[in-house]
Amino acid sequence: MAESDSGQLRVADTGDYDVVIIGAGFAGMYSLHKLRGEGNSCKVFERGTGVGGVWYWNRYPGARVDVESLEYSYTFSADLEREWKWTEAYASQPELEAYCNHVADRFDLRRDIQLETNVLACHFQEDSGRWLVTTNKGDRVTAKYLVMATGTLSEPKDIDLPGIENFKGELYRTSKWPRHEVSFAGKRVGEIGTGSSGIQCIPEIAKTAEHLTVFQRTAGFSMPSNNGPSDTRRTQEWFDRRDEMHRRQRESQLGLIMSEFGPNSAMEVSEEERRKMYEERWAQGGIAIVGSFNDLLFNKDSNESCAAFVREKIREKVANPQVAEKLVPTSHPIFTKRPCVDTGYYETFNRDNVELVDVRENPIERVTEKGVIAGGKEYEFDTLVLAIGFDAMTGAMTRIDIRGRGGKSIKDVWENEGPVSFLGLAVAGFPNMFMIAGPGSPSVLGNMMGAFEHNAGWIGNMIRYMRDHQLQTIEVDEKAQEDWTAEVERAANLTLYPQVDSWYTGANVPGKKRAFSAYLGGWANYLDTCDNSAADGYRGFRLSGVKENA
Ligand code: N01
């Protein structure tokens, strides 16, 4: 017997399953629906007290999706698409979490999801060819296949602020926001970090805090979402033409229609045409601007023309020119650090109760009982909010003790070799273990929902193939992994991304091996490569028929 966080007694699970799925976010929920629908017995472990993954944990004020909700929806069920109506163009966290819960109920997913459970270890048993999965709740289950739906931005990075343990006020992390209401009214609030999370919560905190001090290390590029109520006519049109929309997504560079690349280079049109295009895309909102031309991610001059346009917009929004100059990004090409999408971020710095501290000029020395010392000055706070990011792409898997053949640990492999994989789906030495949107897939640089559905569908087909051919193990061929890793690097090196320190390269986590971790060779190209491997009898994998004795 084990006690759950809610105090209920339960019997630890010692069952044997076809598939264990780790994580009940969008990826894990769809994997369960798909794989269970194919007749597999499935068990999902989820550490939250509810489903939703990223939309369960990141419940900070202002949290909302930065891709239009129409494109951030499941596509596998026309009925679901018809039933669910987003109220805003860019859904907020509560609505996204409600959508996750609706999907869990609508497809009867909950009966196979065990909440409040941390998976501690997954060990491949060479004798049985099965995975042994153990949890902090005493569960010891086995599975023929392991599906890691653990998320790309789900493991907060360690707090690297000396003295943080001394702070006596309220301390919050955006990535682990509490479920109870947090009030900033009448409080002196300090906020550290100006990536997507910081940029979303800062305007909301500023609305009620007595005073807000924002500590910015790197000024980023942020585009206004121009969010508003959903356009019901557009939603209906989208639904009526859903097959065409899904085809267009599949054929686009990033899997998203809103950021579909225009046909021209920014350098082959006149300055006037360039500006007109940027204005149009700016008005469209969010990341649409990245597709203004076909070479903004590749050509330095083209990229700079877009960066200059956005800098100009920032200067127009901020009343105090000195503050504006601090907010204007100059340290990296636009898009090479994840661009942010905001609602009134820059305008927030026109408020009397908001102050910006540039920590490159005034480095944070330490956190004290009362607040933060930066540039020799102590700032006192009642509340400190940290939006300092994630151990992205690999962190959610390396925190679990995953061991493949010969006790090989995924943590060691990725620490030593970087985030290697074949197609972002699997890693050599870890038979029958598959990842959803893993490192080496387009992942965070593609259509996430599309990636979840594609990868889970691919895994479902693979399991059926294995069953039909009475095969027991499937594992990545080392040479295929080596070649794919080289291809990921080659594709990244054609772009401006790898030149910059970011969480895409692992540079935000001290000691992490630097490597660009997402595939930039084109969305359709990636999907075709996966599907062609399958059509070719799972080229790049070794399949074997060792008799199962579990
Ligand atoms: O994290 P980040 P995030 N002292 O790593 C700063 C997704 N997301 O949680 O750039 C001072 O981007 C750090 O500074 P620097 C989205 O993909 C999506 O904001 O390293 N500052 C940076 O400013 C996003 O990209 C949504 O110099 C420190 C910030 O903290 C990803 O999640 C919403 C510091 C961290 O920014 C991560 O976003 C939210 C220190 N010691 C997130 N350490 C959507 O809208 C770090 N920083 C869907």
Side-chain angles (χ1 to χ4, degrees):
M1 290 285 234
E3 196 172 323
S4 75
D5 292 347
S6 49
Q8 285 173 338
L9 287 178
R10 51 170 288 275
V11 178
D13 191 349
T14 54
D16 301 311
Y17 297 91
D18 293 325
V19 188
V20 161
I21 298 163
I22 305 180
F26 275 123
M29 290 202 298
Y30 179 66
S31 299
L32 171 60
H33 175 68
K34 174 77 186 157
L35 300 178
R36 196 174 66 182
E38 301 229 348
N40 298 294
S41 60
C42 297
K43 170 93 184 188
V44 181
F45 290 113
E46 162 58 50
R47 48 181 168 166
T49 60
V51 297
V54 77
W55 300 113
Y56 168 89
W57 295 104
N58 291 266
R59 49 200 322 117
Y60 57 84
R64 66 175 67 245
V65 65
D66 62 3
V67 166
E68 266 194 279
S69 304
L70 274 179
E71 298 215 58
Y72 195 76
S73 303
Y74 285 122
T75 65
F76 68 89
S77 161
D79 288 343
L80 175 64
E81 275 184 78
R82 190 183 311 106
E83 284 160 19
W84 186 266
K85 302 277 181 265
W86 297 108
T87 62
E88 294 176 283
Y90 291 81
S92 64
Q93 178 275 332
E95 193 168 20
L96 285 152
E97 195 184 12
Y99 178 65
C100 294
N101 279 291
H102 172 72
V103 170
D105 293 331
R106 171 79 173 71
F107 297 97
D108 188 22
L109 301 180
R110 295 188 198 277
R111 66 186 154 95
D112 291 318
I113 300 175
Q114 182 175 316
L115 300 170
E116 300 178 67
T117 306
N118 255 318
V119 171
L120 301 177
C122 304
H123 291 174
F124 182 68
Q125 315 285 289
E126 309 247 4
D127 50 352
S128 64
R130 295 178 68 84
W131 283 91
L132 172 66
V133 178
T134 51
T135 77
N136 67 335
K137 296 293 167 73
D139 309 290
R140 280 177 70 82
V141 303
T142 75
K144 184 162 176 187
Y145 299 98
L146 193 57
V147 173
M148 307 305 295
T150 39
T152 46
L153 291 153
S154 48
E155 186 62 20
K157 75 165 198 172
D158 292 341
I159 302 176
D160 50 359
L161 297 160
I164 190 71
E165 64 286 356
N166 299 325
F167 184 63
K168 291 271 191 286
E170 294 173 55
L171 178 67
Y172 300 104
R173 285 197 81 163
T174 47
S175 50
K176 283 201 166 172
W177 202 261
R179 293 184 76 77
H180 62 78
E181 195 170 337
V182 175
S183 169
F184 299 102
K187 298 203 172 131
R188 298 162 303 165
V189 183
E191 192 280 345
I192 302 177
T194 54
S196 297
S197 306
I199 275 178
Q200 287 188 334
C201 71
I202 287 163
E204 290 302 311
I205 297 172
K207 283 179 189 165
T208 55
E210 181 189 305
H211 192 268
L212 171 64
T213 307
V214 175
F215 293 90
Q216 169 191 273
R217 189 163 67 184
T218 306
F221 290 91
S222 185
M223 273 64 72
S225 66
N226 299 336
N227 187 30
S230 276
D231 179 338
T232 45
R233 212 183 63 193
R234 193 161 157 252
T235 305
Q236 186 58 43
E237 271 172 24
W238 180 285
F239 183 75
D240 292 342
R241 294 164 54 203
R242 65 191 286 276
D243 289 347
E244 181 198 335
M245 295 315 222
H246 297 165
R247 181 185 51 73
R248 280 180 57 196
Q249 282 178 325
R250 198 186 198 285
E251 289 169 2
S252 68
Q253 181 69 17
L254 304 173
L256 294 166
I257 296 173
M258 69 179 291
S259 55
E260 211 162 350
F261 287 9
N264 300 316
S265 158
M267 293 294 101
E268 69 191 14
V269 300
S270 68
E271 199 174 330
E272 202 185 349
E273 281 174 81
R274 205 158 46 226
R275 181 154 194 108
K276 186 166 169 280
M277 176 59 82
Y278 288 144
E279 289 287 3
E280 272 171 28
R281 295 280 184 143
W282 182 264
Q284 208 178 319
I287 56 163
I289 199 164
V290 70
S292 307
F293 297 98
N294 63 17
D295 60 349
L296 299 184
L297 302 181
F298 305 92
N299 179 312
K300 224 168 174 230
D301 295 335
S302 299
N303 181 287
E304 177 51 30
S305 72
C306 184
F309 173 84
V310 176
R311 288 190 202 110
E312 208 180 291
K313 292 285 186 195
I314 297 170
R315 289 189 180 102
E316 282 169 16
K317 285 166 188 269
V318 183
N320 180 328
Q322 279 158 354
V323 176
E325 281 321 301
K326 287 189 170 72
L327 289 165
V328 162
T330 50
S331 67
H332 56 283
I334 187 169
F335 309 123
T336 53
K337 275 164 101 81
R338 164 87 174 196
C340 304
V341 176
D342 71 274
T343 307
Y345 174 65
Y346 294 110
E347 294 84 343
T348 300
F349 292 92
N350 295 334
R351 297 177 66 111
D352 292 342
N353 67 334
V354 178
E355 176 184 5
L356 180 67
V357 176
D358 180 338
V359 305
R360 289 199 194 267
E361 278 172 20
N362 299 291
I364 295 177
E365 289 157 33
R366 64 194 156 90
V367 179
T368 65
E369 275 190 22
K370 293 183 184 159
V372 173
I373 299 182
K377 174 178 169 188
E378 183 165 21
Y379 298 81
E380 294 189 8
F381 301 121
D382 303 302
T383 305
L384 197 51
V385 174
L386 307 183
I388 56 172
F390 297 86
D391 182 355
M393 306 299 281
T394 53
M397 280 179 63
T398 53
R399 81 178 167 80
I400 302 172
D401 179 25
I402 301 174
R403 291 181 188 268
R405 280 204 191 281
K408 187 176 184 173
S409 134
I410 196 83
K411 191 164 189 278
D412 290 347
V413 171
W414 283 345
E415 265 177 18
N416 295 327
E417 299 175 39
V420 294
S421 78
F422 181 50
L423 305 175
L425 282 168
V427 181
F430 298 83
N432 294 11
M433 182 185 88
F434 289 86
M435 304 178 288
I436 307 283
S441 73
S443 188
V444 287
L445 288 168
N447 176 334
M448 290 303 275
M449 296 299 263
F452 301 157
E453 291 186 351
H454 173 273
N455 286 176
W458 189 97
I459 293 167
N461 293 340
M462 176 275 299
I463 293 178
R464 192 169 350 104
Y465 181 95
M466 295 287 287
R467 193 185 299 126
D468 291 349
H469 291 78
Q470 296 183 319
L471 293 162
Q472 299 305 324
T473 52
I474 171 166
E475 53 196 303
V476 171
D477 179 75
E478 284 80 0
K479 177 73 171 68
Q481 176 164 296
E482 214 176 281
D483 291 349
W484 182 252
T485 303
E487 165 63 8
V488 173
E489 195 180 340
R490 181 203 66 79
N493 286 339
L494 295 176
T495 73
L496 304 168
Y497 282 101
Q499 301 170 11
V500 171
D501 283 349
S502 68
W503 59 256
Y504 294 133
T505 60
N508 67 326
V509 173
K512 196 165 176 176
K513 191 167 168 94
R514 195 186 163 115
F516 197 79
S517 52
Y519 181 53
L520 281 163
W523 181 249
N525 180 31
Y526 169 75
L527 300 184
D528 288 346
T529 307
C530 296
D531 295 346
N532 291 340
S533 156
D536 212 4
Y538 296 90
R539 186 166 19 90
F541 292 90
R542 284 197 304 272
L543 280 60
S544 59
V546 181
K547 206 166 184 330
E548 192 174 8
N549 54 16

